[in-house]
Amino acid sequence: MNVYEANLPMNTNGVAVGSFSKILLAIDGSESSRDAAHYAIELAKSCSAELIAITVLHKSLSSYGLAPAPNETERDREKRELRTKEWFEKVIQDAEATHIKFRTEIIDTQLSVESAIVEYAEEQNADLIVMGTRGLSGFKRLLLGSVALGVATYSTCPVLVIK
């Protein structure tokens, strides 16, 4: 779905506007999430809303489901966190240029990615979740990625999926 199908009011730049005061941006470094980040920044600016950018680092469970899987070394974890900080740096630069209220958060959880996003949005009282259609999984054939579909299905606030 593109933004015009969402039936949101648009400003003169074609950016949806509404009474949003807190926008949650879910990013994973994919091209789709970078597009969503640009859109979310413009939307936050036009609404004078706070923007919270998050990424979810999913911890795998052992086969018994009791502890994190032992195959993830500390070095692997540090690599993931460094990659995440690189994604955030790009978004931070764009957000700072617009002078919006902005912060980032890395969520390290054993929950599914979509559950973590929905739960965080509820905890933060987000008015809107913005995310890309497809993440880094590589399934280009899908119309809507499984995480985006899960978030849109279970979120209690509106979800804007950017193509």
Side-chain angles (χ1 to χ4, degrees):
M1 164 167 68
N2 65 39
V3 357
Y4 300 103
E5 294 170 345
N7 294 324
L8 297 171
M10 303 290 170
N11 71 10
T12 56
N13 295 326
V15 175
V17 295
S19 57
F20 305 119
S21 61
K22 192 177 287 188
I23 300 170
L24 180 66
L25 167 66
I27 62 172
D28 66 359
S30 66
E31 184 177 336
S32 183
S33 75
R34 287 191 299 271
D35 292 342
H38 294 298
Y39 194 90
I41 290 167
E42 288 301 315
L43 182 59
K45 180 181 175 186
S46 68
C47 296
S48 299
E50 176 184 4
L51 180 63
I52 306 167
I54 65 166
T55 194
V56 178
L57 300 180
H58 179 72
K59 290 184 207 174
S60 298
L61 294 176
S62 71
S63 57
Y64 300 107
L66 301 174
N71 59 348
E72 183 180 45
T73 65
E74 187 62 31
R75 196 171 90 218
D76 292 337
R77 181 176 164 66
E78 288 172 3
K79 280 185 196 177
R80 288 191 321 162
E81 287 184 7
L82 180 61
R83 196 172 50 225
T84 300
K85 288 177 184 176
E86 289 172 4
W87 303 335
F88 281 153
E89 283 303 316
K90 294 173 186 174
V91 177
I92 289 168
Q93 289 172 359
D94 293 343
E96 286 178 345
T98 62
H99 306 290
I100 60 172
K101 187 175 178 184
F102 178 77
R103 64 186 164 103
T104 62
E105 181 103 22
I106 298 172
I107 300 171
D108 201 357
T109 183
Q110 293 176 346
L111 293 174
S112 68
V113 174
E114 54 269 35
S115 294
I117 293 168
V118 169
E119 185 176 287
Y120 189 85
E122 289 173 358
E123 288 171 2
Q124 297 296 315
N125 296 316
D127 301 310
L128 176 70
I129 299 171
V130 178
M131 61 190 309
T133 53
R134 285 181 299 275
L136 293 172
S137 66
F139 294 109
K140 299 279 185 191
R141 296 184 318 268
L142 297 177
L143 294 175
L144 191 62
S146 60
V147 172
L149 181 60
V151 171
T153 301
Y154 296 108
S155 176
T156 57
C157 69
V159 177
L160 181 59
V161 180
I162 303 299
K163 201 169 176 179

